[in-house]
Amino acid sequence: MTGDELRQLLDRELEPAGRAWLAGAEAAVRKDPRVVQTAFPAAGRSVGRRLLAGDPPTGWTADDAARALLLITLGDAAGEQVPDLFGYGDADEQRAVVRSLHLLPPVPGAAELVAAASRSNDRRLVAASLGPWALAHLDDEAVAQSVLKCVFQEVPLTGLPGLAERATPRLSRMLAELAHERIAAGRPVPEDVWPLIERFPPEDTLARIEAEQEHPVPERRAAARAALASRRGQET
Amino acid sequence: MRIFDPHIHMSSRTTDDYEAMYAAGVRAIVEPAFWLGQPRTSVGSFVDYFQSLLGWERFRASQFGIRHHCTIALNPKEANDPGLRTEVLSILPRFLAKDGVVAVGEVGYDSATPDEDAAFEEQVAMGQEHRLPLLVHTPHRDKAAGTRRSIDLLRAAGVPGEMAVIDHNNELTVEDTLDSGYWAGFSVYPDTKMDVDRMVRILQQYGTDRILVNSAADWGRSDPLRVRKVADAMTAAGFDADDVDKVVWRNPVEFFGRSGRLELDEPAPDAAATFAGNSILRGAPAGS
């Protein structure tokens, strides 16, 4: 998603009042970047919070998009303003910052902002911590930790394009071991971990999961069979 | 009966209170930012407090079917800490811009010092800038003089009558406040400030226009159901249902509605909902 695409998607949905507010806010921010400190939090009630229509689904809401456009308008002042917008932001504002990072000039401490988003317990914020900027810049270990956090928070991994290219043998193994842990507890395994496990299949862990199908505890047998059925269902 | 408590510090109250308030008819509240019973020592404590008024407390109220709004300000008592004053005032505009903030408050006087004057004036200007009404605390000591001084300051700044409420009035301040054109708030407590029967006598004498009745319940001895008790006492004293509705619902809606940020549709409590991933449930994880 580029800034221009975002602007087009948002513009289709805006009412005249929202369009006028955004144009006024962008002009004011261009003149004095500090205006973003009050325009950024106010975006939601000025442009609304509807999901922007698109095929495939955009995953962007009107307030996220308006906030991204305000950050783009900052230009070189983004480095100075963005860290505090994140720090003083509520979960919605923080999410907009993290989702917009790839549209902005380099922001000092961006990796720390993404890490803080990943540590939060807000599922939409956690999902944003594996956005385009994070996948392009974070090291393997940070990506792996964020993926595990998403699985724990039940954030669907299928909504995170580009993730498969960041898989490593270590991530595949961590996910397989998480799957085994769930099975041993008699709990379901989220289906969307399997494509990442299959990138570098850890044969020993997978063999232990196979063996769970004959485990004396019926809940473990059932969980293992269900998990492996969903794994086979994705082998097409 | 629908009730809007325009001044209650829910952060200090329990989930039992929320349940009892809903059962009594409370559907909307305003939680003003005030002090915490002891002084804060850094601006970070204010930032976290403001974030909790806008985040966790709003979510918690919604789980009991109550719409929560807040007011944001540096309170007069802590305005006397010179280091804090500058820092807190500098971050206030970021918070005044947020959804759910329906006034600047509590501002006003505690000991009526020059530092309090400065913080009050500066925050009145912020209210004008953000087009927000003002919630003005009046002091416990020397209340009548503090009330008149607040009115003078608001007038000098050009604040119109409908954009400020002078709070914590009593029999000796109500005339000054109503004559000034500003709104009059009354905090009805179990044993101080104002009680239910005195409140009804004031309504009988001065009418129901521009009057807000609140519980001001907080971490001290106080009662989150006082507004309902005033409503019942009004009915017992012969006020009709429309008078009661005006005092305990339509007046606060009219006053705080000037912010343009009231949300009055009833939130649907959802046991599986979370705020930032944390639920109000204990002993059972959200969604399981």
Side-chain angles (χ1 to χ4, degrees), chain A residues 29-90:
Chain A
V29 168
R30 244 176 249 118
K31 219 166 130 194
D32 179 357
R34 289 171 302 177
V35 172
V36 80
Q37 295 171 7
T38 49
F40 191 78
R45 59 179 183 275
S46 305
V47 303
R49 297 173 186 82
R50 292 180 310 283
L51 193 62
L52 300 181
D55 187 25
T58 66
W60 282 79
T61 56
D63 54 332
D64 276 352
R67 288 185 172 128
L69 293 172
L70 289 175
L71 297 184
I72 291 169
T73 305
L74 282 169
D76 290 339
E80 194 187 321
Q81 296 294 331
V82 168
D84 276 351
L85 289 176
F86 183 91
Y88 290 108
D90 60 21

Side-chain angles (χ1 to χ4, degrees), chain B residues 5 10 22 33 41 44 69 92 102 137 140 143 157 159 167 207 234 284:
Chain B
D5 191 335
M10 290 311 298
Y22 185 87
T41 57
H69 311 84
L92 279 185
V102 295
H137 168 89
H140 304 271
K143 181 180 282 289
V159 176
D167 212 349
M234 285 178 73

Side-chain angles (χ1 to χ4, degrees), chain B residues 63-268:
Chain B
Q63 296 309 290
F64 295 91
I66 295 175
R67 278 288 180 201
H68 180 283
H69 311 84
C70 70
T71 76
I72 294 286
L74 171 64
N75 63 80
K77 198 182 279 273
E78 287 172 296
N80 290 303
D81 180 330
L84 266 188
R85 187 179 69 243
T86 313
E87 284 190 275
V88 175
L89 291 179
S90 76
I91 55 113
L92 279 185
R94 292 181 184 268
F95 287 95
L96 295 177
K98 290 184 192 284
D99 298 335
V101 177
V102 295
V104 181
E106 298 179 52
V107 293
Y109 291 114
D110 177 53
S111 306
T113 63
D115 282 345
E116 292 174 25
D117 275 323
F120 192 178
E121 275 173 11
E122 197 169 329
Q123 294 184 93
V124 167
M126 287 183 196
Q128 291 168 318
E129 160 100 27
H130 290 266
R131 290 184 217 153
L132 286 171
L134 293 148
L135 173 58
V136 181
H137 168 89
T138 52
H140 304 271
R141 305 174 300 278
D142 207 8
K143 181 180 282 289
T147 302
R148 283 192 294 273
R149 187 161 164 172
S150 299
I151 291 167
D152 290 345
L153 187 147
L154 293 168
R155 278 191 175 143
V159 176
E162 71 274 14
M163 288 300 276
V165 58
I166 312 281
D167 212 349
H168 316 314
N169 281 279
N170 60 26
E171 289 84 353
L172 302 182
T173 61
V174 56
E175 282 187 24
D176 278 340
T177 298
L178 288 175
D179 288 350
S180 73
Y182 296 115
W183 285 52
F186 293 85
S187 297
V188 185
Y189 267 34
D191 45 19
T192 58
K193 289 192 182 175
M194 176 58 53
D195 69 27
V196 169
D197 296 329
R198 286 162 57 203
M199 186 67 238
V200 170
R201 283 199 294 275
I202 284 173
L203 288 162
Q204 285 168 328
Q205 186 170 353
Y206 298 97
T208 55
D209 285 347
R210 290 189 285 127
I211 289 198
L212 301 182
V213 175
N214 63 69
S215 72
D218 58 11
W219 27 253
R221 278 198 73 215
S222 48
D223 173 10
L225 305 182
R226 277 293 132 151
V227 179
R228 172 61 195 252
K229 287 167 188 166
V230 169
D232 291 343
M234 285 178 73
T235 304
F239 285 97
D240 66 22
D242 188 68
D243 292 328
V244 174
D245 186 65
K246 176 170 157 60
V247 170
V248 304
W249 183 265
R250 298 199 309 273
N251 279 356
V253 168
E254 180 184 346
F255 181 77
F256 289 107
R258 297 206 174 87
S259 68
R261 304 188 205 171
L262 279 186
E263 287 184 34
L264 295 174
D265 56 315
E266 187 164 330

